[in-house]
Amino acid sequence: MALIPDSQSFPFLTDPLGHEHALTGETAAIGRAVESDIVITSKRVSREHACIRREGRKLMLEDLGSTNGTFLNDERVLGPTSLRDGDRITIGEVTFTFHDPDTTSRETPFPELEINVAAGVARVNRFAVSLSPKEFALLAHLYERRGKVCSKDEIGRAVWPEYTSDSGIYDYQIENLVRRLRTKIETDPNSPQALLTVRGMGYKLVTQGGE
């Protein structure tokens, strides 16, 4: 795809060298074939590897049956997936970053949380985060009760079930765990947006778009 100097008015990809690939058409083909809009010369890349297509106001990333797969934020793309500002697209050895200036101008620091309790997976702004078992137990408990205040006693029973009584859990243990979790999920841990302290009552998790 031809590089267009002024790409700030429409979505674009940046490659590892900082080059901008403007996404101005209805589709952008990515692959090893010379006729691709974005050409990647690598044996790990199929001739017709992936494409980005416009669907209404969204841009969708789709793998075209490539041999080695297309990855979005380090997870393999299994079907058409919408792109969001800051997403990482990996094809072969090359990782692109997706930029959407319109989305960026509307964004707030509020973290976007996605918790799959059954799978033990937590994502912040669509990126998987590494949590300790206790950190995940706390986040899962708060997420299942999002919008509601959870007392320290309740958190102690949920996160430390190995203790037979609440007397085995001290406030500082819960406070330290909350502090560590905030460093993993908050845009600014010193000004939390999602994991809130309700003075004298406990903690509450607020998700994007309301409680």
Side-chain angles (χ1 to χ4, degrees):
M1 173 175 284
L3 303 184
I4 302 177
D6 182 14
S7 60
Q8 300 307 308
S9 60
F10 39 75
F12 60 97
L13 301 179
T14 53
D15 61 30
L17 297 178
H19 297 149
E20 297 180 1
H21 304 263
L23 303 172
T24 57
E26 290 300 310
T27 62
I30 307 173
R32 197 174 72 249
V34 294
E35 60 268 22
S36 298
D37 297 299
I38 300 175
V39 179
I40 304 175
T41 55
S42 168
K43 293 181 179 180
R44 296 191 62 221
V45 177
S46 300
R47 286 181 54 80
E48 297 179 353
H49 196 107
C51 74
I52 297 174
R53 57 182 172 79
R54 193 172 298 277
E55 189 175 286
R57 298 184 63 180
K58 296 181 180 180
L59 287 178
M60 309 294 292
L61 173 66
E62 185 173 0
D63 182 80
L64 300 178
S66 67
T67 301
N68 294 308
T70 300
F71 294 82
L72 179 64
N73 300 330
D74 300 325
E75 296 189 16
R76 189 162 187 159
V77 174
L78 301 178
T81 306
S82 62
L83 291 172
R84 299 181 188 178
D85 186 73
D87 280 346
R88 297 196 311 261
I89 301 168
T90 302
I91 297 175
E93 303 90 353
V94 180
T95 296
F96 298 91
T97 301
F98 175 72
H99 303 272
D100 186 347
D102 289 338
T103 300
T104 303
S105 66
R106 297 194 302 268
E107 283 184 340
T108 68
F110 202 102
E112 179 184 346
L113 302 176
E114 178 188 348
I115 315 299
N116 187 328
V117 176
V121 175
R123 295 184 179 87
V124 179
N125 300 328
R126 304 219 299 179
F127 290 86
V129 292
S130 177
L131 301 177
S132 71
K134 294 300 184 188
E135 290 167 350
F136 186 84
L138 173 59
L139 181 58
H141 181 76
L142 294 174
Y143 187 78
E144 290 176 341
R145 294 158 183 77
R146 53 193 177 276
K148 300 179 181 179
V149 179
C150 297
S151 68
K152 289 184 178 179
D153 286 346
E154 180 185 348
I155 291 172
R157 290 191 295 270
V159 178
W160 285 272
E162 63 270 22
Y163 288 94
T164 57
S165 66
D166 296 334
S167 60
I169 303 301
Y170 296 96
D171 284 356
Y172 79 87
Q173 291 175 278
I174 297 173
E175 292 163 3
N176 287 341
L177 185 62
V178 168
R179 190 176 302 112
R180 292 199 303 271
L181 182 57
R182 280 176 173 156
T183 66
K184 305 286 185 67
I185 69 171
E186 294 282 3
T187 304
D188 181 359
N190 295 318
S191 299
Q193 302 276 332
L195 207 175
L196 307 178
T197 299
V198 182
R199 191 173 299 277
M201 298 180 66
Y203 300 96
K204 176 172 67 172
L205 187 72
V206 178
T207 54
Q208 195 171 32
E211 300 182 357

